[in-house]
Amino acid sequence: MENRKPILPIVERDEWLQPVADKIADRHDRYETRMKAIEKQAGSIVDYANGYRYYGWQYDDTLCGWWFREWLPEAYDVFIFGDFNSWQRTQLRMDKGADGVWSIFLPDAMYGHLLTHGSLYKLHIHGKNGWHDRIPAYATRVVQDEESKNYTAQFWIPQPFEWHDQKFDAKSIGDLLIYETHIGMAQEKEGVGTYNEFTELVLPRIKQAGYNAIQIMAIAEHPYYGSFGYHVSSFFAPSSRFGTPEELKRLIDTAHSMGIAVIMDLVHAHYVKNLNEGILDLDGSGHHYSKEGEAGYQQYWDSMIFDYGKGGVEHFLLSNVKYWIDEFHFDGYRFDGVTSMLYYHRGYINFDSREKFFDEGVDLDAITYLTLANKLIHTLNTSAITIAEDVSGMPGICLPIDDGGVGFDYRLGMAIPDFWIKMLKDTPDEDWNIWEMWSILTNRLPEVKTVAYAESHDQALVGDKTIAFRLLDKLMYDSMDRKTESMVVDRGMALHKMIRLITITAGGDAYLNFMGNEFGHPEWIDFPREGNGWSYSHARRQWSLRDSDELRYSYLADFDQAMIELVKNDRILSDGYPYNLLMDEQNKTMVYTHRDLLFIFNWHPTASIPDYELPVREPGKYVLELSTDEERFGGLARHKAAEEHFSFNKECEDGSIQTCIKVYNTSRTAMVLRRHE
């Protein structure tokens, strides 16, 4: 008789997964086996993930001095050197332990007056690839020399930071409304913004705009500014180009005092291939943090891939996960590049059959690691938030671990911005298919919480276009003053507001916006590079455009603020799927509800219909709460504020009674009506 594995809840709830029940059980068994080994070794996964408390610089109160440790299993010889020993490379030899950990002890009596806060240091490592000066993997601060442009590790032991956020709980903020940010380009000045400037100047803007979470990009140190932070070199070092670690802590502490959760864009999918700045081949073996050869290389991103099945790599990454939460009080992570982690083909295929989620293309070590990471995060902080950037739709990615899932809280709804790009590029307004629109926005499994967003930060980069840029093009530069009349600008303004409103109210369980997109920022992102003369003119956000009473950008920002307030107050995102009441293809009109709110979208470019009859779920008085056509949002003001619509009963052809209201259904307008008894 065949011995079948127990059926996990993920399979019990989804008949489609029954043919692969054993494979799902196998991947869950891999996680449980690894978790048991971790608990046997360290007691708990939380205690296991303490690499940052063991490696690097650690003070020994008993011996009165500093230990330094680094995991370099196949190095031949290792020395530590720096300004504290006059940069003598081969003076201080480290000792190799049986576990591949090299260590050295520097007593205060000899080095206390030399090894001080701010000292610079490196490792001199002899391995299979020769002798190299390297930055340790567990360095908590790395700085760049202004003249040579070389990066060096820095001995960083400041005074303890005084936190004031002990009562902050990310679960208390309500529906998740994320403002995606980048510290360096968040300022209007032509230069690199700082943690302090962000705290003082940008956080108040985010609070005023109504968002209750920020997702910060480019935190971990990265040598190339233009990589947007995705080619990480030092995983435990907050980028020094923005300021000190204490200034980042102050930013997070201040955000928490404002009721704003702070999510880190965590890059564990790959790392920079630079030898001088990063962790590539640190022990000289050719397979330290990655598998050897092509198996360790991400050809699409020109970077290196972690070997998730290797114990030292797993320990490094899990320790990194704990580090940012423990030391900096981050409220969770958006895991970048999850699709690339999950599959050996990095996701560059069509996921058109069930088997492709479970065949030989799947990296089971990566799935085990991601499951362990989610277990660690939610054990450390029960209110923590984890978001997976996975375009493949891996079954179980957002289901609880005990049910057979990977444990993420949310998945990015990446099909939505792709859809809006396609529509705006390829389809004339009059041919927009409202059924396709509805299908894309609501195509998600009930158990998979989705972060909806209309456009990504990638679309804001040079070579691509934001929604505002696609709608307005060159008119963004010379026709956005409030006195200039332009049908193209009117169309662009209307659709920009409608696209955002339907995305947030129909597309998911959380919402994300990249900074500046809410007011149609007119400049693309172009980081300093040789091709633009190393200019910062496009690596900033022009808040003055949003603040100007003479320009239309403030109309878009004001609408976004009103939209966010409505969504937040009525808990629309936690209401689940919208209830569809009407799809009128001829008039390009769709009607749906969330609780007592009625949403009416007329996508038609010209058809405005008086006394348009539409069904409602319950009788009552329906009062206009919000309209994209309001004058305060740069609209044509074809509706009166707080106008009322009273329900009536209508007999249908089949003899049934339907409750309806009549509205002036104006073209290119979205209206939100609230039902009153």
Side-chain angles (χ1 to χ4, degrees), residues 276-320:
N276 291 330
E277 294 91 357
I279 62 174
L280 172 64
D281 204 14
L282 202 59
D283 71 351
S285 64
H287 53 85
H288 189 188
Y289 284 94
S290 298
K291 293 178 181 177
E292 197 153 19
E294 289 300 310
Y297 178 62
Q298 223 295 12
Q299 58 175 320
Y300 303 102
W301 299 343
D302 192 27
S303 54
M304 307 306 297
I305 305 159
F306 286 103
D307 182 356
Y308 301 103
K310 195 172 186 179
V313 176
E314 174 198 81
H315 186 235
F316 173 81
L317 293 174
L318 289 176
S319 296
N320 191 238

Side-chain angles (χ1 to χ4, degrees), residues 350-536:
N350 291 321
F351 291 92
D352 52 7
S353 71
R354 172 181 48 229
E355 286 64 37
K356 291 185 179 178
F357 298 110
F358 301 98
D359 61 18
E360 65 279 357
V362 177
D363 187 342
L364 292 172
D365 289 331
I367 294 178
T368 301
Y369 163 67
L370 288 169
T371 312
L372 290 168
N374 274 291
K375 178 65 175 180
L376 170 62
I377 292 163
H378 293 109
T379 302
L380 272 171
N381 182 355
T382 56
S383 66
I385 299 158
T386 59
I387 304 168
E389 188 201 28
D390 173 35
V391 71
S392 75
M394 167 68 78
I397 198 78
C398 287
L399 287 182
I401 295 170
D402 290 344
D403 289 357
V406 182
F408 282 99
D409 298 304
Y410 295 90
R411 170 178 171 260
L412 285 176
M414 300 171 74
I416 299 174
D418 290 345
F419 169 74
W420 290 125
I421 294 171
K422 184 175 180 295
M423 286 278 281
L424 293 170
K425 279 177 60 178
D426 303 334
T427 310
D429 293 15
E430 59 271 16
D431 294 334
W432 282 21
N433 186 325
I434 62 172
W435 283 103
E436 182 184 15
M437 188 185 302
W438 183 260
S439 175
I440 293 292
L441 286 164
T442 58
N443 183 22
R444 58 188 186 274
L445 293 172
E447 293 179 312
V448 179
K449 286 188 176 181
T450 301
V451 178
Y453 57 116
E455 54 194 332
S456 71
H457 61 252
D458 289 332
Q459 288 166 247
L461 288 166
V462 166
D464 208 335
K465 290 183 178 180
T466 62
I467 287 175
F469 222 139
R470 291 190 185 280
L471 290 168
L472 301 169
D473 205 57
K474 63 180 181 180
L475 297 181
M476 298 181 77
Y477 298 101
D478 58 19
S479 301
M480 288 296 281
D481 62 286
R482 297 186 180 185
K483 295 179 181 179
T484 298
E485 295 185 2
S486 168
M487 293 180 63
V488 174
V489 173
D490 288 344
R491 168 188 177 267
M493 295 276 291
L495 290 178
H496 193 274
K497 290 176 282 186
M498 293 178 72
I499 286 170
R500 303 181 89 74
L501 182 61
I502 196 170
T503 298
I504 196 172
T505 56
D509 312 272
Y511 180 70
L512 179 142
N513 167 70
F514 179 68
M515 62 177 184
N517 284 354
E518 74 279 6
F519 67 87
H521 198 284
E523 294 291 328
W524 57 83
I525 299 166
D526 190 11
F527 286 99
R529 54 187 173 85
E530 188 175 358
N532 65 15
W534 302 104
S535 170
Y536 286 89

